[in-house]
Amino acid sequence: MVANHPVKSAGSNMTGAHLLAAALQRHGVKEIFGQSIPSALFLAAPDYGIRQIGYRTENAGAAMADAYARTSGKVAVVTAQNGPAATLLVPGLAEAFKASIPMVAIVQDVSRRFTDKNAFQELDHFALFGGVAKWVRRVADPQRIDDYVDMAFTAAGSGRAGPAVLLVPLDVLDERPDLDPAAPQRSASLGAFPLDRTVADPERIAAAADLIAAAKAPIVIAGGGVHSSQAWAQLEAVQALGLPVATTVMGKGAVAEGNPLSVGVVGYFMAPRGRSSHLRSLVTEADVVILVGNRTNQNGTDSWSLYPKNATYIHIDIESSEVGRNYEALRLVGDAKLTLAALEAELRKRDLSAVASRRSRLEATIASGRTAHDEDMKRLVDMDAAPLRPERILADIDAVLTPETITVADASYSSIWIANFLTAQKAGQRFLTPRGIAGLGWGLPYAIGAKTARPDAPVICLTGDGGFGHVWSELETARRMKLPVVVVVLNNQILGYQKHAELSLFGDFTDVCDFEAVDHAAIARAVGCDGIRVEKPSDFLPALKNALASGQTTVLDVITDQRAYPPITSFEGKEALNY
């Protein structure tokens, strides 16, 4: 194992690949998501304590890296070959870019002497990655590898986190540079994020405290930035003063959802059956709204119709361009952890008697809303129906969750199901959902990435048959890399969101929304994993418990009702959905 810088003497026998592996080791990298290329890097990596997690497809590898970063608090590293392999990284980098997730993508490029000669699979990678990365550079000199790796990690983990792309020509990895042993050696470790914590302007924090203390109906709406900042304790401390806290889907788990002041997830799925459906007025009638790490995007705001128009907004975010983007706000630009801590300290200097006097009434309102939701579920959903209702499946998953369980979801309906029907038992519990650009196929790779980061934690993935069809091959990855996860496939033989949205909008649907029957359990068994088909409601919970106890990657192929859809507000009252 080589520590810090590998150079021992001038004329060292170290190649560029060894220099690159040593630089990654210095930043705390222990896993790289990559296939065989850059081969020179992966041949050197074991000497530096770095394990290769060998994905089957680059788009899945990027999603694995995304979930790894979200779960570990470390900048993830993913690799790819130039050309077509590099193009397959784009969707995963785009998700990370929009969702502010840090990763470094190392892309092997053609040899320097072949540049712009139509070398095999040569491509303009600067143009390719320009719209999905914070930073794109090429290492032209192996003596500058340390410099460029440090720049990549700095770009990925600082400010608003996101992807950085480092292009490394093939011959740079093979070259043996003549390095001066007397030259200064880099020693910084930049692999954790946030890299640099900053706090908002103290005068503005004081002004925010004044607004909150004087408010009649304040509410906090926390987004994914709370998780990125690891600001859970600080948010809980603000909540403990008597403020209700709601979250976005990405913010789910920012506070314990059993807390009497936790509203739950709010957004575009607060129709009947939505867990927070009876608490909508806490948002719409708020006079002061404190946004924390919240992008105020379309889904989280129900197409910008949920948040009150006449409220005063206080917005905490590390990225200044997000503050006031959609709601003019008192600008608290800074890291959520430090800024929330400073805000709590300022609030404790204020007269909070009005906040305290409302607390019992507020807690009663939230408790009443939860009870009303329970009554709705009894009235609206047949939990013993077959094909199974997703609400029944989620209730059984919720029954086996522990505070350490990591639950991941594919995009589309799966993310909405877990947001509404699973319970965060503690602040900081992770529910990983692709909400940056929300493409299908992220579920299983997210599970593998999360398991890589937290091998001792149970990992459950919820996906539809549409999303799972993108990534069946990664079951073999989970088995080969000994990363056991449980995959619950909601098998309804349709692209659910697409079909229901088309029916809602047009009263009809396109032909491609319906699939032929697929036995996903058989696919799992074909690659050496466990596969169980579930058709009766009573069979699901025992199968889930057995899968979690087995230590094997298991697919539970659950036959579900294709007419079941989450409590999306725009679907309410649409007769075409009663087909």
Side-chain angles (χ1 to χ4, degrees):
M1 185 95 82
V2 179
N4 293 326
H5 202 295
V7 178
K8 297 180 180 178
S9 62
S12 166
N13 200 37
M14 309 301 289
T15 66
H18 286 86
L19 293 171
L20 179 55
L24 295 174
Q25 180 202 42
R26 174 163 55 85
H27 295 304
V29 175
K30 297 185 182 301
E31 291 89 9
I32 301 176
F33 297 90
Q35 215 173 61
S36 58
I37 293 175
S39 301
L41 172 61
F42 286 119
L43 290 170
D47 293 336
Y48 300 85
I50 298 174
R51 179 189 182 197
Q52 178 183 6
I53 307 296
Y55 57 68
R56 295 289 292 242
T57 62
E58 286 75 14
N59 50 2
M64 292 175 198
D66 178 320
Y68 178 90
R70 297 190 198 205
T71 306
S72 67
K74 296 167 59 178
V75 178
V77 179
V78 64
T79 67
Q81 186 180 0
N82 51 290
T87 67
L88 292 175
L89 286 181
V90 169
L93 296 189
E95 168 67 29
F97 184 70
K98 292 289 288 185
S100 306
I101 307 302
M103 67 174 72
V104 172
I106 298 173
V107 177
Q108 179 176 290
D109 211 345
V110 300
S111 295
R112 289 167 291 178
R113 66 183 181 278
F114 296 155
T115 299
D116 294 327
K117 294 185 69 174
N118 289 330
F120 180 61
Q121 296 184 335
E122 183 180 18
L123 190 67
D124 184 349
H125 294 107
F126 287 96
L128 176 69
F129 295 118
V132 297
K134 291 178 65 179
W135 180 96
V136 186
R137 297 289 190 279
R138 178 187 285 120
V139 182
D141 182 349
Q143 298 190 66
R144 299 288 310 282
I145 285 175
D146 262 357
D147 297 344
Y148 277 95
V149 170
D150 283 18
M151 284 188 275
F153 275 82
T154 299
S158 62
R160 179 178 186 166
V165 179
L166 185 61
L167 308 173
V168 186
L170 176 61
D171 56 323
V172 167
L173 294 167
D174 292 336
E175 190 169 311
R176 289 175 168 78
D178 187 10
L179 299 175
D180 181 359
Q185 297 180 5
R186 291 184 175 270
S187 60
S189 182
L190 308 172
F193 72 97
L195 182 57
D196 304 304
R197 293 190 183 273
T198 59
V199 67
D201 183 338
E203 291 186 4
R204 292 181 181 174
I205 292 172
D210 289 338
L211 286 171
I212 294 167
K216 295 180 179 179
I219 189 170
V220 178
I221 307 178
V226 173
H227 287 299
S228 294
S229 178
Q230 300 172 30
W232 312 298
Q234 291 70 28
L235 181 58
E236 278 191 310
V238 170
Q239 184 180 43
L241 296 176
L243 296 178
V245 176
T247 75
T248 65
V249 176
M250 278 193 66
K252 185 178 177 68
V255 290
E257 291 180 323
N259 187 298
L261 289 172
S262 291
V263 177
V265 181
V266 298
Y268 72 120
F269 35 74
M270 296 176 74
R273 289 181 295 120
R275 185 175 282 186
S276 58
S277 59
H278 292 277
L279 300 174
R280 190 180 183 95
S281 64
L282 292 181
V283 180
T284 60
E285 297 176 11
D287 61 342
V288 173
V289 180
I290 304 101
L291 305 170
V292 187
N294 180 341
R295 292 178 295 150
T296 63
N297 65 3
Q298 182 173 8
N299 289 347
T301 61
D302 200 359
S303 295
W304 304 284
S305 68
L306 176 64
Y307 292 7
K309 290 182 172 59
N310 297 320
T312 298
Y313 287 85
I314 299 165
H315 199 159
I316 300 172
D317 204 283
I318 193 69
E319 173 56 47
S320 62
S321 66
E322 288 299 336
V323 176
R325 178 193 289 268
N326 294 315
Y327 298 90
E328 189 170 317
L330 176 60
R331 300 174 58 83
L332 299 186
V333 178
D335 169 65
K337 185 174 186 176
L338 295 187
T339 303
L340 282 171
L343 178 60
E344 186 225 350
E346 280 296 322
L347 283 168
R348 289 190 178 279
K349 300 175 185 177
R350 305 298 190 274
D351 178 4
L352 297 179
S353 56
V355 175
S357 68
R358 292 191 300 266
R359 182 167 189 153
S360 61
R361 185 171 70 253
L362 181 59
E363 290 182 353
T365 297
I366 293 173
S368 176
R370 292 173 181 173
T371 299
H373 168 260
D374 292 340
E375 293 301 317
D376 283 351
M377 292 298 293
K378 294 175 185 177
R379 178 172 54 86
L380 297 172
V381 181
D382 180 0
M383 299 291 270
D384 295 320
L388 278 71
R389 289 285 305 194
E391 294 92 341
R392 168 62 184 265
I393 297 165
L394 272 294
D396 286 347
I397 294 174
D398 204 36
V400 304
L401 291 188
T402 72
E404 303 308 316
T405 304
I406 299 169
T407 312
V408 310
D410 212 319
S412 197
Y413 279 175
S414 296
S415 294
I416 311 174
W417 288 126
I418 75 164
N420 272 280
F421 297 104
L422 297 184
T423 306
Q425 298 178 19
K426 70 171 185 179
Q429 187 171 351
R430 293 318 309 263
F431 299 83
L432 306 182
T433 57
R435 308 308 297 170
I437 58 170
L440 282 179
W442 267 274
L444 174 57
Y446 265 20
I448 294 171
K451 190 68 175 180
T452 304
R454 293 271 305 282
D456 296 331
V459 178
I460 300 173
C461 166
L462 186 74
T463 181
D465 50 341
F468 189 53
H470 286 247
V471 287
W472 291 335
S473 61
E474 301 302 338
L475 288 172
E476 187 275 335
T477 300
R479 180 190 177 201
R480 172 168 37 90
M481 303 308 304
K482 297 179 172 56
L483 296 167
V485 298
V486 176
V487 183
V488 179
V489 180
L490 304 181
N491 185 355
N492 57 13
Q493 285 189 228
I494 62 169
L495 279 174
Y497 209 154
Q498 187 67 29
K499 183 169 184 174
H500 295 155
E502 290 179 1
L503 283 167
S504 174
L505 290 169
F506 308 112
D508 199 358
F509 60 91
T510 54
D511 293 342
V512 295
C513 292
D514 286 1
F515 298 135
E516 294 295 321
V518 174
D519 187 339
H520 303 95
I523 291 171
R525 293 192 296 269
V527 296
C529 299
D530 291 341
I532 301 168
R533 188 176 177 90
V534 178
E535 299 185 34
K536 295 191 298 183
S538 59
D539 290 344
F540 178 72
L541 184 57
L544 177 61
K545 289 179 176 178
N546 289 337
L548 288 167
S550 73
Q552 304 295 320
T553 291
T554 303
V555 171
L556 302 180
D557 188 26
V558 188
I559 307 306
T560 56
D561 182 358
Q562 72 159 254
R563 294 168 298 176
Y565 54 86
I568 296 170
T569 54
S570 63
F571 285 1
E572 288 307 298
K574 300 297 178 68
E575 289 299 322
L577 293 175
N578 298 321
Y579 63 96

